[in-house]
Amino acid sequence: MNIAAVITSQFRSLWTVLQHTFTKADTVEYPEEMPALFPRYRGRIVLTRDPDGVERCVACNLCAVACPVDCIALQKAEDEHGRWYPEFFRINFSRCIMCGFCEEACPTYSIQLTPDFEMCEYDRQNMVYEKEDLLIDGTGKYHDYNFYRVSGKSIGGKDKGEAENEGEPIDIKSLLP
Amino acid sequence: MNESIGSPLQIAGILIGVILTAAWLIWVERRMIGIWQDRLGPNRVGPLGLGQVIADMIKIFFKDDWIPPFADKAVFVIAPVIIMVTMLTAFVVVPFAPGIGIIDFNFGLLYFLALSSLAVYSAVLAGYASNNKYALLGALRAAAQTVSYEVFMGLSLMGVVMLSGSFNLREIVEAQRDGWFCISQFFGLLVFLIAAVAESHRSPLDLPEAEQELIAGFHTEYSGMKFGMFFVGEYLGVTLSSAMIVTLFFGGWLGPVLPPLVWFCLKTTIGILFFVLLRAALPRPRYDQLMMFGWKVMLPIALVNLVATGGVALWLES
Amino acid sequence: MPTIEIDGRSYEVEAGANLLSACLSQGLDLPYFCWHPCMGSVGSCRQCAVIQYRDAHDVQGRIVMSCMTPAADGARISIEAPEVKAFRAEILELLMTNHPHDCPVCEEGGECHLQDMTVMTGHTFRQYRGKKRTHRNQYLGPFIHHEMNRCIACYRCVRFYRDYAGGDDLGVFASHNHVYFGRHEDGVLENEFSGNLVEVCPTGVFTDKTLSEHYTRKWDLQAAPSVCVHCAVGCNISPGERYGKLRRVINRYHGEVNRYFLCDRGRFGYGFVNSDRRLRKAMIEKQPAVSGEAAQQRLSFLLAQQRGKVIGIGSPRASLEANFALRERLGADYFYAGFGVDEHPLITAIAEIMQSSCARIPTLREIEQSDAIFILGEDVTNTAPVMALAVRQAVRNASFEIADRLHIPRWQDEAVREAAQQEKSPLFIASCDRTRLDDVATATFRKAPDDLARLGFAVAHLIDPEAPAVTDLSEQERSEAEVIAGALKRAKRPLIVSGSGCGSLAVIQAAANVALALPEKAKALSLVVPECNSIGLAMMQGRLLNEAFQLASTGAVATVIVLENDLYRRAERVVVDRFLAEVEHVVVIDHIGHETAEQAELVLSAGTFAETEGTLVNYEGRAQRFFPVLAPADDIRSAWQWLSDAPGQTDWRHVDDVISALAQRLPRFQSCRDAAPFASFRITGMKIPRQPPRYSGRTAMRANITVSEPKAPDDSDSALAFSMEGAESARPPALNPGFWAPGWNSNQSVIKFQDEINGHLRGDDPGVRLIREAGRASWFREIPDAWRVLSDQWLLAPIRHIFGSEPLSALSAPLAERIPEPYLALNPDDASRLEVGEGESVELELLPQMERRVLTVRLSAELPAGVAGIPVGLPGLPGTAFWKAAKLGTIS
């Protein structure tokens, strides 16, 4: 161990820190000045719709299981044509740590974090958001993706074999190879 | 000596002044660390955020003054009082300026050393009384650290005593008219500075309350004004240490043009800011490193310094 | 035991195994699809490839399918060699070419064997850019959802459905990558074990429709070790709960009882727990009680009023603890068993035979090993379905013997079947009507119950001349008996199956005689009883229900406590009506609303198997404990709590106290204490969590009610916790809520819990046998006379239905769809004599009460003349077989 280096490093640290007396503070004085937030800022969570305007969430529960604070709860329901959707979708924002794992886990781009963090409440109960509070009218950050166009499950308006990269349903009575 | 030393007016003035300084340090420290970390620090309450001190005071006074049911109640209450009392009584001997002070002891330096040693009882008793493993560990660390650093804290000052030939702090200041002891006693200053940081449990040597390891060490269980007393006690310690460094090594009130009291306050403020800078810049060592550093580095330096100073003093005399 | 070397390490493996099961037995991970521990190997999926080396000098080796290769002594293989890992990943990629992008909307997701194996092989990127083949789905009935796109063509479904369970309406169509697994047209899957396709299918082609109704992923289901309550087999199940509702039931492996499979009644009959007809609030005079305590006080008041005039009626579907609490509260003299008036003597006789006979009571595993079976008067598929599945496997023992002679390993499934062709072990079925096992029977005999008994007695006499002989045997009967007796005598492990199914005591006695006549050490007798705790209740020796009715008519009964029982299912309507009118205060403790409860003054809401803890004794006398999967809400309490909470009554605090008291009071229940560890059991100081480690949504599930999360309910009665925190490993099987192992999210993970593949659970299978074979029993000598057709009167023979004969499962909506309409089965000759045809109405005049009923006719060619089949428990029909005879006539 180089003793001289150890000692000088202490003084160099002191000097370096002291120099910062004259640098400008990085602090943005919110709320007088609004910070510039980027589109991928991890703030309030929303549920988006697919390009056809139907809600994207298929109630697969992956966001809920990815959530480290377990603040997402939902229940799957199914319409008469087999499309899955959440019967309820609840986020307890008083527990949410805005980690964005739910967005990473989401296979349909439904759940997205937005650059909005101004959601304080005096009553904690108001931090519980239901589906009607979360669902927005747009596609959010991903404009083109529509999960059901690539999945094999048939839903209303998309029969078997009509998804991307899908062949016509097999006629099992046919003898042709 | 000056008649006015120890007049009731002075006592009241110094008491209020010292406590206000300590309270004001809360703001100074947060603001300075903010600046050095490219932030702003508290700037919302009052002009420049100075009202923060008042806001903090109001908050801390009105907090629930809670004593844990498992604690040793009497000791738990006494512990924070000890640090306040020892720190405030230590200020008795500080020579602010000619004619300004409370008592002019001939053994002023020894008095200061004695009281600063007593302060460790505060940490030890608090840790013991809390009946909590983190508090106890903090108290043990405080005891060991204080005992270790006490040794060469005293030794480091003996050079100053040899050079000035007195334990009287005012005489030590007067002895520096020819040159501040920070030059001749550079190693003494270094050792005393480090020991003072350790004695007042300041970062980077704040192992008794290292929050990453011990939550808050010996005062884990404290809240409200009892915690406030530890808090203010620490800043009193910082102020006292700075005042003593200024007195012993930087010529106390001596200085041109400006009145002596202003010089003293100015120098003390710079000392305090240096303490804050240490906290802002340096990381905390490991506990074994701290002990190793104390016994194997600081103690030999202090001893060598003592012997060398004695030799030089004898040589000059002969 | 052979020693094989896997990746340079030596392992001792079981003899005769294949490499795949040897590797899995050693805890090594090796992916597979078409292999199933219970169905052997066919080597079709190519997924379980390993490299086999000739000797120590062979560094190249060759790829073999581990499921098709015997684990011979000295074999050297590698699972980890890069070549074979790449091979497996390529095979998986090929299997996945057509697999749709469906996992988020697939019910199998999260417990999918295909997902697990994909992760295991390391296939992460799809290179295939062509079009995926698609298929149209079929409607397969209320239980199973079909999604053919997901199929990877492993053939497991048809191998289970056709080869294992004997179904014939699921097949494979088309060829090459067009293969299609389904029915020839849309329609209900008829087999009683179709629900197992959900677990057998490695991916989401067949999924649980009832779960999909209220879908929850496996990681979100709170589970508990439980026992099926829908028949006397006592299959171990793992029910799953979320949001206070029971969501599904899946199989929980038990090495001696159900092993891998459940019947559809057990799997889909759980709906009654969530039913609207559940009793959730205590009711006093049809008004909801102010509180549970108020109802409890009312009970104490009623009991204090008329000491000595209070009787209790127990129930064969209530736990031992509940029945015992009632018996203790009122005294043994005032405890009536609550069996149907007709079935009480039958079940008492069965329990008596089981406890005194020297015949072994085989477990289902032992039944599978029998090489000759004689079923006397029981339609096992409809009364104890999983036992029928075991019987179906037993007839394959002949083919295993052929395979052994040809040195074909038994797990070489296709080869064994090819070698055996139609060769089957002898199975004789003597019954009133056709049964679902007829297709594998060597011979079937259709007779009236008395004649069945005579056939049994005759067989017994032929095997052992000491057995009482049947005097006036006809020539045909004699030759039938000789065939059966000959086969049983030749067998090494013969088995007699009978039971209370056809409502005849003589049949049961005849079966006992046959078992007794078998040679020493080969005596095996399985007697089927109808309900989950019939044997346990019979062992408690309650009094006859008819005695209670008589006592009430003398005015000696002021209060009756009916425990989990609908009296209208147990006796004639007029009798029950009269009884309930004669008794001043009627108290019903039950979890489900029924006619008896409607007439009760005080209704106390008990918990179902999903909310309470208790012990059930199955058909073989095995006491098994079930644990609550959901915390009881509202006024729901265990029946024993209602009966013991009264101040100063007992010092029972926990269910363990009740069990201890039971073991002390009735020594024959001594060992039921050991059925499962007590509540004080801990693993390194921790309880066992009911929730999987990745249970989600804890802080949001109830946030709509209040954002502050409530404390998880305490379970002071068991070593299980309503939590996801606790002991993750070393759980005793009796307390293991379900199977999961890292990388094995599907129920296939059970291989990680077995001592060897298809073996017992590590740490011993749960439950404890209360009954062991005793000393030699004496012969039954009361042989009935030959039955004669009466010209104007029909004998009513009970017909049991897997769906409908059991009242609780009948309340489950999907299962209710499968319940047949009430009918009367008639021989075509009899029908034409009455001038009625299929679907036409016929009027019954029940004897002796002369009550009149109208039913539609269903023709059954195999019914003996003069016998009419009456389905038990269907709406409007008796819950037990207490209609004995009737005159039939067309509606005037």
Side-chain angles (χ1 to χ4, degrees):
Chain A
M1 193 166 62
N2 187 346
I3 292 174
V6 169
I7 293 170
T8 48
S9 99
Q10 309 299 315
F11 287 101
R12 199 174 57 238
S13 297
L14 287 173
W15 177 243
T16 312
V17 172
L18 195 61
Q19 278 178 319
H20 278 261
T21 317
F22 307 105
T23 50
K24 193 174 171 296
D26 288 335
T27 310
V28 175
E29 292 217 57
Y30 174 83
E32 289 87 6
E33 186 189 344
M34 286 304 289
L37 299 181
F38 293 91
R40 281 168 196 280
Y41 183 86
R42 297 198 310 261
R44 182 170 57 88
I45 297 168
V46 295
L47 293 176
T48 59
R49 292 173 189 274
D50 63 24
D52 301 338
V54 191
E55 64 177 298
R56 263 177 175 155
C57 178
V58 299
C60 70
N61 272 291
L62 288 180
C63 50
V65 75
C67 180
V69 288
D70 289 348
C71 74
I72 303 177
L74 65 154
Q75 174 60 53
K76 171 248 172 185
E78 198 171 327
D79 73 6
E80 65 270 33
H81 303 297
R83 186 187 177 106
W84 285 28
Y85 68 95
E87 184 184 333
F88 67 79
F89 194 109
R90 184 181 307 131
I91 299 182
N92 179 355
F93 276 109
S94 74
R95 289 283 187 193
C96 179
I97 57 171
M98 310 289 172
C99 66
F101 282 12
C102 50
E103 184 173 2
E104 282 184 38
C106 183
T108 68
Y109 287 144
S110 171
I111 197 164
Q112 296 183 15
L113 276 73
T114 61
D116 172 21
F117 55 87
E118 293 174 310
M119 49 193 307
C120 296
E121 295 283 350
Y122 283 101
D123 183 358
R124 246 184 94 195
Q125 190 64 49
N126 294 338
M127 299 289 280
V128 178
Y129 282 39
E130 297 288 342
K131 188 167 95 173
E132 46 275 29
D133 309 317
L134 297 163
L135 192 61
I136 63 166
D137 278 339
T139 54
K141 286 174 273 189
Y142 310 96
H143 303 300
D144 304 326
Y145 190 67
N146 185 339
F147 171 75
Y148 277 113
R149 302 298 320 164
V150 286
S151 99
K153 207 171 157 68
S154 65
I155 53 159
K158 190 207 81 174
D159 200 4
K160 279 281 163 75
E162 291 178 5
E164 290 167 19
N165 274 330
E166 269 190 1
E168 283 285 298
I170 304 290
D171 175 9
I172 57 166
K173 305 219 164 81
S174 162
L175 291 173
L176 294 171
Chain B
M1 282 281 171
N2 200 311
E3 295 295 305
S4 60
I5 284 185
S7 74
L9 198 69
Q10 280 201 7
I11 294 174
I14 289 170
L15 182 67
I16 291 166
V18 162
I19 290 181
L20 283 182
T21 308
W24 170 70
L25 277 185
I26 299 171
W27 175 83
V28 170
E29 172 149 46
R30 289 178 61 189
R31 215 49 223 264
M32 290 315 294
I33 291 180
I35 285 168
W36 284 324
Q37 294 174 346
D38 289 353
R39 297 183 286 112
L40 291 175
N43 66 343
R44 293 272 153 175
V45 192
L48 290 173
L50 271 167
Q52 189 69 40
V53 178
I54 298 158
D56 280 352
M57 279 304 189
I58 292 170
K59 181 192 77 173
I60 217 160
F61 268 112
F62 287 94
K63 265 193 162 179
D64 188 7
D65 201 12
W66 193 68
I67 299 174
F70 46 81
D72 184 337
K73 286 197 181 51
V75 183
F76 190 82
V77 174
I78 288 168
V81 177
I82 293 176
I83 190 157
M84 283 288 279
V85 170
T86 52
M87 285 301 157
L88 284 175
T89 42
F91 271 101
V92 161
V93 292
V94 173
F96 290 93
I100 301 177
I102 298 176
I103 298 177
D104 183 11
F105 280 139
N106 276 332
F107 51 88
L109 189 59
L110 294 179
Y111 176 84
F112 158 75
L113 288 172
L115 281 177
S116 68
S117 316
L118 275 178
V120 74
Y121 281 99
S122 172
V124 171
L125 292 178
Y128 159 75
S130 294
N131 203 3
N132 166 317
K133 61 184 167 193
Y134 298 112
L136 185 64
L137 283 171
L140 290 173
R141 284 185 178 190
Q145 178 176 330
T146 314
V147 167
S148 308
Y149 279 67
E150 197 95 306
V151 176
F152 49 83
M153 187 183 194
L155 285 175
S156 68
L157 297 181
M158 290 310 112
V160 173
V161 173
M162 283 180 195
L163 292 180
S164 60
S166 172
F167 281 106
N168 186 310
L169 293 170
R170 287 173 189 275
E171 286 175 16
I172 291 174
V173 173
E174 289 299 334
Q176 296 182 62
R177 283 206 181 273
D178 307 332
W180 293 351
F181 288 155
C182 62
I183 313 288
S184 51
Q185 281 299 308
F186 177 74
F187 287 103
L189 168 64
L190 206 64
V191 173
F192 181 75
L193 185 71
I194 291 168
V197 173
E199 287 282 292
S200 52
H201 313 143
R202 286 281 306 174
S203 179
L205 304 182
D206 58 343
L207 280 99
E209 47 196 276
E211 55 270 80
Q212 289 89 339
E213 304 153 38
L214 299 179
I215 303 176
F218 61 87
H219 60 68
T220 302
E221 295 290 347
Y222 282 85
S223 65
M225 200 48 218
K226 284 205 273 300
F227 165 73
M229 282 196 265
F230 280 118
F231 203 51
V232 174
E234 182 181 320
Y235 287 116
L236 283 176
V238 171
T239 316
L240 180 63
S241 301
S242 302
M244 292 312 290
I245 289 168
V246 168
T247 307
L248 297 169
F249 296 100
F250 290 95
W253 64 73
L254 300 176
V257 187
L258 295 169
L261 186 61
V262 174
W263 268 119
F264 184 85
C265 292
L266 203 63
K267 290 178 186 172
T268 308
T269 304
I270 291 169
I272 289 168
L273 290 178
F274 184 72
F275 272 90
V276 176
L277 179 64
L278 280 180
R279 176 173 171 183
L282 297 184
R284 184 190 303 129
R286 228 167 42 218
Y287 189 67
D288 61 315
Q289 292 170 334
L290 175 84
M291 296 312 268
M292 194 271 290
F293 183 68
W295 288 106
K296 294 188 182 168
V297 181
M298 287 291 111
L299 184 62
I301 292 179
L303 286 172
V304 169
N305 179 49
L306 182 63
V307 173
T309 311
V312 170
L314 283 174
W315 178 66
L316 283 177
E317 218 162 279
S318 63
Chain C
M1 291 218 296
T3 307
I4 64 170
E5 196 182 294
I6 306 171
D7 286 315
R9 287 186 58 186
S10 288
Y11 295 88
E12 276 204 358
V13 299
E14 49 188 305
N18 56 49
L19 283 176
L20 175 61
S21 73
C23 292
L24 294 172
S25 277
Q26 299 302 326
L28 302 168
D29 283 346
L30 188 53
Y32 61 84
F33 288 112
C34 66
W35 178 81
H36 185 283
C38 225
M39 297 191 292
S41 320
V42 289
S44 74
C45 74
R46 318 313 282 173
Q47 188 60 66
C48 61
V50 294
I51 288 192
Q52 186 168 27
Y53 301 100
R54 245 190 339 272
D55 49 43
H57 306 295
D58 182 5
V59 287
Q60 195 169 4
R62 63 195 176 102
I63 287 181
V64 296
M65 293 308 128
S66 63
C67 71
M68 301 298 281
T69 313
D73 196 26
R76 296 168 170 274
I77 61 163
S78 171
I79 298 174
E80 296 295 329
E83 301 89 337
V84 76
K85 281 177 91 169
F87 178 86
R88 290 197 298 258
E90 273 166 34
I91 291 293
L92 199 109
E93 183 172 1
L94 290 171
L95 289 175
M96 290 286 282
T97 47
N98 290 316
H99 196 72
H101 188 69
D102 258 6
C103 296
V105 290
C106 174
E107 286 92 342
E108 194 85 355
E111 50 181 325
C112 177
H113 191 59
L114 179 58
Q115 279 179 344
D116 291 347
M117 297 301 109
T118 309
V119 173
M120 195 181 285
T121 55
H123 164 62
T124 50
F125 184 76
R126 182 199 292 270
Q127 298 174 62
Y128 176 65
R129 288 287 172 271
K131 292 199 172 210
K132 294 180 186 176
R133 67 109 177 82
T134 57
H135 279 300
R136 296 220 174 266
N137 302 331
Q138 284 180 332
Y139 168 78
L140 296 178
F143 300 151
I144 304 287
H145 183 82
H146 194 219
E147 188 66 47
M148 241 331 271
N149 281 2
R150 297 172 187 154
C151 183
I152 57 166
C154 71
Y155 282 71
R156 257 194 193 188
C157 52
V158 285
R159 287 179 60 219
F160 169 76
Y161 197 86
R162 302 183 78 92
D163 298 350
Y164 196 91
D168 55 8
D169 58 333
L170 182 85
V172 50
F173 302 88
S175 62
H176 59 98
N177 72 340
H178 288 179
V179 287
Y180 186 92
F181 298 87
R183 299 182 86 251
H184 69 293
E185 60 181 17
D186 281 15
V188 177
L189 279 178
E190 284 160 12
N191 195 274
E192 293 80 6
F193 306 95
S194 64
N196 293 302
L197 291 175
V198 175
E199 285 181 50
V200 165
C201 176
T203 176
V205 177
F206 300 100
T207 50
D208 184 341
K209 222 180 215 178
T210 68
L211 169 67
S212 194
E213 289 291 302
H214 39 224
Y215 184 65
T216 307
R217 296 255 178 233
K218 183 182 182 179
W219 61 67
D220 280 343
L221 284 168
Q222 172 168 288
S226 194
V227 177
C228 182
V229 295
H230 299 300
C231 84
V233 173
C235 296
N236 284 209
I237 55 169
S238 172
E241 177 268 0
R242 182 124 170 129
Y243 298 112
K245 278 212 162 79
L246 193 58
R247 302 264 159 156
R248 71 153 176 202
V249 163
I250 55 165
N251 182 60
R252 187 165 64 92
Y253 186 89
H254 185 294
E256 288 294 343
V257 187
N258 50 309
R259 308 223 273 157
Y260 300 94
F261 304 115
L262 293 179
C263 70
D264 287 358
R265 187 204 275 178
R267 188 182 294 271
F268 302 113
Y270 64 88
F272 75 94
V273 176
N274 307 328
S275 154
D276 295 339
R277 284 178 54 188
R278 276 297 299 281
L279 301 170
R280 294 180 180 278
K281 298 285 286 177
M283 306 280 275
I284 301 175
E285 281 158 9
K286 299 195 171 44
Q287 299 298 316
V290 180
S291 66
E293 284 65 39
Q296 189 104 52
Q297 276 165 16
R298 181 66 169 253
L299 177 67
S300 304
F301 174 76
L302 287 178
L303 292 180
Q305 281 293 296
Q306 292 119 333
R307 290 189 176 280
K309 293 185 81 178
V310 186
I311 64 165
I313 298 177
S315 166
R317 67 168 158 93
S319 66
L320 279 183
E321 288 81 354
N323 280 311
F324 176 66
L326 182 66
R327 189 179 182 275
E328 275 299 275
R329 186 78 197 254
L330 305 175
D333 285 347
Y334 302 96
F335 178 67
Y336 294 79
F339 290 119
V341 288
D342 60 303
E343 65 178 1
H344 189 110
L346 306 181
I347 291 168
T348 317
I350 288 175
E352 198 53 46
I353 291 167
M354 284 168 65
Q355 288 175 85
S356 63
S357 171
C358 53
R360 200 162 39 84
I361 310 161
T363 63
L364 292 191
R365 177 191 282 272
E366 287 162 352
I367 290 177
E368 279 187 16
Q369 284 152 8
S370 307
D371 56 357
I373 299 179
F374 177 30
I375 300 177
L376 189 60
E378 189 74 25
D379 182 3
V380 189
T381 315
N382 285 310
T383 51
V386 179
M387 187 192 284
L389 198 58
V391 169
R392 194 174 279 281
Q393 307 320 307
V395 302
R396 287 200 65 210
N397 281 310
S399 52
F400 290 137
E401 278 163 26
I402 294 169
D404 289 350
R405 276 202 300 279
L406 298 170
H407 302 294
I408 300 171
R410 290 186 175 201
W411 42 261
Q412 278 279 17
D413 197 57
E414 275 305 310
V416 171
R417 284 177 199 278
E418 202 62 38
Q421 294 296 322
Q422 294 303 307
E423 198 64 41
K424 290 190 178 67
S425 297
L427 166 66
F428 300 100
I429 301 175
S431 60
C432 299
D433 196 2
R434 58 171 184 253
T435 74
R436 295 281 287 176
L437 283 170
D438 292 349
D439 57 325
V440 286
T442 315
T444 58
F445 314 98
R446 306 284 178 238
K447 294 174 190 302
D450 281 357
D451 287 346
L452 291 175
R454 286 165 60 83
L455 177 67
F457 281 116
V459 170
H461 179 72
L462 283 172
I463 299 173
D464 184 350
E466 277 182 40
V470 188
T471 45
D472 48 348
L473 217 52
S474 74
E475 200 49 48
Q476 193 202 347
E477 280 176 314
R478 184 182 308 281
S479 65
E480 286 169 357
E482 273 166 4
V483 173
I484 300 169
L488 289 176
K489 267 201 270 191
R490 277 191 300 277
K492 285 194 281 292
R493 296 176 302 278
L495 168 69
I496 315 302
V497 179
S498 184
S500 62
C502 67
S504 160
L505 184 60
V507 165
I508 294 165
Q509 292 175 339
N513 267 15
V514 182
L516 206 57
L518 292 171
E520 211 63 46
K521 291 194 174 155
K523 303 179 200 295
L525 176 64
S526 278
L527 293 171
V528 178
V529 288
E531 277 164 280
C532 58
N533 202 19
S534 293
I535 297 294
L537 181 62
M539 285 168 71
M540 227 173 260
Q541 292 168 330
R543 300 173 69 172
L544 218 77
L545 200 53
N546 264 342
E547 291 176 22
F549 296 159
Q550 278 158 17
L551 196 66
S553 64
T554 65
V557 179
T559 303
V560 60
I561 302 176
V562 182
L563 173 72
E564 301 190 21
N565 212 335
D566 180 9
L567 298 181
Y568 286 97
R569 290 186 63 87
R570 306 289 177 183
E572 207 67 70
R573 174 163 297 274
V574 278
V575 182
V576 178
D577 278 340
R578 194 175 340 116
F579 171 70
L580 293 178
E582 281 161 355
V583 177
E584 212 176 314
H585 309 287
V586 177
V587 181
V588 167
I589 304 176
D590 207 339
H591 47 74
I592 206 89
H594 44 64
E595 276 186 275
T596 314
E598 278 163 23
Q599 300 188 36
E601 176 185 323
L602 177 61
V603 175
L604 303 173
S605 44
T608 60
F609 78 98
E611 287 129 346
T612 57
E613 183 178 343
T615 311
L616 301 174
V617 182
N618 80 347
Y619 81 97
E620 43 159 343
R622 182 187 298 272
Q624 302 190 100
R625 194 138 322 135
F626 57 91
F627 293 92
V629 63
L630 48 103
D634 299 323
D635 288 343
I636 293 173
R637 299 179 189 181
S638 300
W640 68 264
Q641 280 171 323
W642 284 116
L643 286 162
S644 67
D645 272 355
Q649 175 58 32
T650 55
D651 50 1
W652 293 347
R653 296 254 176 96
H654 302 303
V655 71
D656 295 342
D657 301 331
V658 187
I659 297 166
S660 298
L662 169 66
Q664 202 177 3
R665 180 62 60 92
L666 299 170
R668 66 186 78 102
F669 291 105
Q670 184 71 45
S671 47
C672 83
R673 291 167 51 97
D674 308 325
F678 271 6
S680 55
F681 179 83
R682 293 287 183 279
I683 298 169
T684 56
M686 289 184 289
K687 281 190 152 198
I688 295 164
R690 283 181 171 84
Q691 295 164 358
R694 196 45 273 195
Y695 195 74
S696 82
R698 281 181 310 160
T699 65
M701 285 170 73
R702 295 171 210 85
N704 55 331
I705 305 162
T706 166
V707 71
S708 310
E709 290 102 36
K711 181 177 178 292
D714 260 333
D715 183 2
S716 56
D717 276 344
S718 77
L720 296 159
F722 290 105
S723 163
M724 55 194 273
E725 286 151 18
E728 283 300 335
S729 58
R731 301 164 172 181
L735 289 178
N736 193 4
F739 299 114
W740 178 86
W744 295 79
N745 296 297
S746 74
N747 230 8
Q748 307 279 331
S749 56
V750 68
I751 56 165
K752 299 279 178 191
F753 293 82
Q754 295 166 336
D755 56 0
E756 60 180 47
I757 299 296
N758 283 332
H760 299 271
L761 289 172
R762 252 180 282 131
D764 244 356
D765 289 318
V768 58
R769 286 282 283 267
L770 300 180
I771 300 173
R772 294 268 162 211
E773 47 273 31
R776 190 176 174 81
S778 51
W779 301 106
F780 291 103
R781 295 183 183 279
E782 286 167 35
I783 300 169
D785 294 330
W787 184 73
R788 278 192 308 280
V789 181
L790 298 170
S791 56
D792 60 336
Q793 186 177 322
W794 272 262
L795 178 76
L796 296 181
I799 295 177
R800 316 267 168 178
H801 284 277
I802 180 170
F803 306 124
S805 290
E806 196 272 330
L808 294 180
S809 60
L811 294 172
S812 167
L815 203 133
E817 278 185 44
R818 299 283 306 272
I819 297 177
E821 289 294 312
Y823 65 91
L824 184 79
L826 271 184
N827 181 302
D829 293 342
D830 287 359
S832 59
R833 192 147 58 92
L834 284 164
E835 293 173 346
V836 289
E838 172 98 28
E840 290 177 5
S841 294
V842 64
E843 190 178 50
L844 287 81
E845 197 176 351
L846 293 171
L847 297 169
Q849 287 96 339
M850 297 301 180
E851 237 187 296
R852 283 168 192 280
R853 293 296 168 87
V854 174
L855 288 170
T856 46
V857 167
R858 182 186 284 187
L859 295 180
S860 173
E862 306 208 9
L863 266 179
V867 176
I870 185 92
V872 174
L874 299 192
L877 297 179
T880 62
F882 52 73
W883 288 359
K884 294 294 183 195
K887 293 182 174 180
L888 301 185
T890 43
I891 298 171
S892 44

